[in-house]
Amino acid sequence: MAGVDAAGVEGLCFKRLEESYRGGVRSWRKYKVRVTTEAVIGAITGPLTAPRTLLLGPV
């Protein structure tokens, strides 16, 4: 994920599938990238130089 790191993405935000979005409530978790790995990027939103979201899959 060197390209992601080079684009300035510091980590991933996620929530449980059964949880719905609740404004103002911190139910989402954040995983900061500490160790890099390889993954297939299936889709992105936003520009390639500063992606907003990524859909990742195993290599």
Side-chain angles (χ1 to χ4, degrees):
M1 290 191 350
V4 173
D5 192 34
V9 176
E10 72 176 41
L12 302 173
C13 289
F14 59 94
K15 69 171 187 66
R16 295 184 181 274
L17 288 174
E18 64 271 7
E19 292 180 2
S20 60
Y21 174 77
R22 295 178 287 159
V25 177
R26 290 185 170 195
S27 61
W28 289 55
R29 303 282 184 224
K30 185 172 188 177
Y31 175 77
K32 289 191 176 185
V33 177
R34 290 180 182 23
V35 177
T36 60
T37 188
E38 292 187 16
V40 174
I41 299 176
I44 67 163
T45 61
L48 290 175
T49 55
R52 292 177 145 200
T53 59
L54 302 170
L55 174 64
L56 302 176
V59 175

